[in-house]
């Protein structure tokens, strides 16, 4: 069983690195067929699907984009609900997931929506290197271990190790919350992990929602993805911020964009269903609320190309002990489990797990 993480300190970049940042921005911000200014301050560029950053990678130069998976496992497609809402544990009408930029337009077919990366995004991280690395690492079995930076990453997770061969996928439904995050440098998330390998050969697929002020300079709840093939040591970006792995096929959802509606305490609850599953050709497909957003190609991985050794689901927050006290940053709703939600709840975030989707043993709860 593996779990949780550490972060890396950042330093303000000098003039030479600013030149490198400008080069990076030119590479990653592709020419747009159309640009949309979102009410939350994001600029969404509608980029030709074959101009997306992932295809800049040498291993994908001649890649032909697969527009849909070559199989549809029943456990993925047995729930067509976009987002379900519940009041006091009772089912209410289904409503579609929305992103704020949708109120100002849409991207045409043949393009994909990409949140534009700005100079300010990178400067907040302190360096281009820091921006291109995840602040956490899924490395140890000690959820409250302090990393070399002195920060503690605290998690509440369920783990399912493989028992009879590689696992081929996972699916989870999670409440959507907007947890309070202390200061401007902590974060809170709810996600799934798909894992294979170890140490420098560790491969992960990660997807969920997070509130991450250091990354976006706001406290909105946003859809995110991440993956690594080298144990978090090299260049591995969130969302579509570099030529690393994920190929998007959907023209409606901006990965990294803010999402609505948000669950209300003692009110209407909203959830999001996310699945990651490997098709017969070895590509790992991401599905959100019934829509396939794209895939990580088989050739991208060194360990996950044979399937997963473990899957996990849960929440995480960082405790930087600002003002010399434990962080007030919330996980999920910020409350302990409530029977009112009508589901198994971890740190106020409801999880409904498709356990029969893979060859797993008993679920292991890590707190």
């Amino acid at each position: 069983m593996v779990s949780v993480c550490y972060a890396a300190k950042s330093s303000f970049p000098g003039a030479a690195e600013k030149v490198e940042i400008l080069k990076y921005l030119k590479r990653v911000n592709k020419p747009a067929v159309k640009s949309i200014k979102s009410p939350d301050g994001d600029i969404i560029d509608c980029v030709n699907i074959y101009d997306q950053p992932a295809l800049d990678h040498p291993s994908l130069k001649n890649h032909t984009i697969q527009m849909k998976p070559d199989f549809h496992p029943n456990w993925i497609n047995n729930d067509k609900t976009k987002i379900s809402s519940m009041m006091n544990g009772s089912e209410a009408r289904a409503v579609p997931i929305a992103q704020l930029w949708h109120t100002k337009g849409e991207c045409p077919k043949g393009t994909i929506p990409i949140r534009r990366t700005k100079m300010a995004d990178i400067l907040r991280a302190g360096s281009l290197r820091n921006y291109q690395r995840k602040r956490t690492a899924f490395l140890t079995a000690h959820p409250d271990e302090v990393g070399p930076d002195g920060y503690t990453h605290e998690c509440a997770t369920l783990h399912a190790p493989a028992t009879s061969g590689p696992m081929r996928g996972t699916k989870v439904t999670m409440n959507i919350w907007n947890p309070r995050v202390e200061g401007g440098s902590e974060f809170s998330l709810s996600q799934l992990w798909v894992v294979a390998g170890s140490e420098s050969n560790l491969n992960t697929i990660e997807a969920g929602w997070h509130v991450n002020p250091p990354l976006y300079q706001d406290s909105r709840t946003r859809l995110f993805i991440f993956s690594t093939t080298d144990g978090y040591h090299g260049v591995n970006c969130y969302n579509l911020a570099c030529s690393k792995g994920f190929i998007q096929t959907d023209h409606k959802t901006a990965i990294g964009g803010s999402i609505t509606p948000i669950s209300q305490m003692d009110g209407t609850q909203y959830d999001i269903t996310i699945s990651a599953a490997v098709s017969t050709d070895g590509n790992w497909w991401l599905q959100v609320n019934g829509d396939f957003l794209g895939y990580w190609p088989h050739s991208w991985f060194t360990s996950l190309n044979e399937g997963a050794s473990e899957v996990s689901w849960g929440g995480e927050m960082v405790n930087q002990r600002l003002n010399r006290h434990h962080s007030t940053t919330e996980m999920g709703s910020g409350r302990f489990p409530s029977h009112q939600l009508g589901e198994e709840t971890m740190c106020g975030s409801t999880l409904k797990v498709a356990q029969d989707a893979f060859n797993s043993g008993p679920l292991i709860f890590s707190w």
Side-chain angles (χ1 to χ4, degrees):
M1 179 181 70
V2 289
S3 178
V4 201
C5 5
Y6 61 82
K9 283 187 176 179
S10 61
S11 58
F12 195 80
E17 185 165 8
K18 286 184 181 179
V19 173
E20 293 303 312
I21 291 173
L22 289 173
K23 292 180 181 178
Y24 165 79
L25 291 174
K26 186 176 181 179
R27 290 196 308 271
V28 75
N29 290 325
K30 302 296 185 178
V33 173
K34 175 182 178 180
S35 295
I36 300 170
K37 179 68 179 293
S38 175
D40 57 14
D42 288 351
I43 297 175
I44 304 299
D45 290 323
C46 303
V47 175
N48 184 290
I49 191 170
Y50 273 96
D51 288 339
Q52 61 182 293
L55 298 182
D56 288 341
H57 196 275
S59 68
L60 297 175
K61 280 292 186 181
N62 298 314
H63 184 80
T64 300
I65 295 176
Q66 183 179 348
M67 295 305 296
K68 60 182 180 180
D70 58 5
F71 83 132
H72 297 277
N74 291 334
W75 62 269
I76 285 184
N77 289 313
N78 63 4
D79 182 3
K80 298 296 184 182
T81 302
K82 290 299 228 180
I83 282 189
S84 63
S85 63
M86 297 177 288
M87 177 74 79
N88 297 329
S90 61
E91 196 72 22
R93 68 183 180 88
V95 296
I97 190 171
Q99 296 187 299
L100 286 178
W101 69 274
H102 291 161
T103 64
K104 299 299 181 180
E106 61 183 20
C107 286
K109 291 184 178 180
T111 70
I112 62 167
I114 302 180
R115 178 184 179 273
R116 186 180 298 178
T117 303
K118 304 173 185 177
M119 171 72 79
D121 295 332
I122 301 171
L123 294 182
R124 282 194 305 276
S127 70
L128 182 58
R129 177 178 173 81
N130 286 347
Y131 182 74
Q132 294 177 320
R133 298 179 70 179
K134 196 180 183 190
R135 297 178 63 228
T136 63
F138 197 72
L139 295 176
T140 77
H142 307 288
D144 296 329
E145 180 171 325
V146 177
D149 57 3
Y151 300 153
T152 302
H153 289 251
E154 300 177 0
C155 300
T157 53
L158 284 170
H159 307 270
T163 57
S164 57
M167 294 181 282
R168 307 296 291 175
T170 183
K171 178 179 180 180
V172 64
T173 297
M174 305 175 289
N175 275 90
I176 303 173
W177 294 103
N178 183 242
R180 178 187 179 276
V181 174
E182 183 177 0
S185 56
E186 296 189 348
F187 68 83
S188 182
L189 62 78
S190 185
Q191 71 168 78
L192 63 78
W193 290 264
V194 180
V195 182
S198 61
E199 298 180 355
S200 63
N201 196 40
L202 178 71
N203 290 190
T204 72
I205 286 172
E206 306 174 36
W209 60 256
H210 61 184
V211 176
N212 195 330
L215 192 60
Y216 306 103
Q217 204 173 13
D218 65 26
S219 296
R220 297 185 182 275
T221 302
R222 294 174 176 269
L223 178 70
F224 81 94
I225 63 170
F226 188 87
S227 70
T228 182
T229 59
D230 58 13
Y232 301 91
H233 296 298
V235 174
N236 300 282
C237 300
Y238 279 101
N239 308 325
L240 304 183
C242 60
S243 56
K244 286 289 182 175
F246 189 78
I247 297 173
Q248 184 161 338
T249 57
D250 179 75
H251 72 282
K252 296 174 291 186
T253 302
I255 299 172
S258 58
I259 55 177
T260 62
I262 303 297
S263 298
Q264 301 299 314
M265 187 59 61
D266 301 321
T268 304
Q269 305 295 301
Y270 298 97
D271 54 50
I272 185 170
T273 298
I274 301 177
S275 68
V278 63
S279 57
T280 54
D281 59 6
N283 295 335
W284 279 88
W285 280 85
L286 174 69
Q287 190 179 38
V288 177
N289 289 338
D291 293 326
F292 288 105
L293 301 194
Y295 60 94
W296 289 270
H298 173 271
S299 61
W300 175 243
F301 295 106
T302 58
S303 300
L304 272 172
N305 45 18
E306 300 299 330
S309 58
E310 179 182 328
V311 293
S312 299
W313 322 264
E316 177 186 348
M317 54 80 68
V318 65
N319 172 26
Q320 293 184 336
R321 295 190 63 83
L322 301 174
N323 301 317
R324 298 182 181 276
H325 63 72
H326 188 283
S327 174
T328 59
T329 291
E330 299 170 340
M331 189 187 300
S333 68
R335 291 190 182 182
F336 286 106
S338 167
H339 295 295
Q340 189 179 42
L341 297 181
E343 302 288 346
E344 182 177 5
T345 308
M346 293 166 53
C347 291
S349 186
T350 303
L351 298 180
K352 292 180 281 186
V353 176
Q355 187 180 3
D356 60 349
F358 39 75
N359 303 315
S360 75
L363 298 181
I364 302 170
F365 180 57
S366 175
W367 175 269

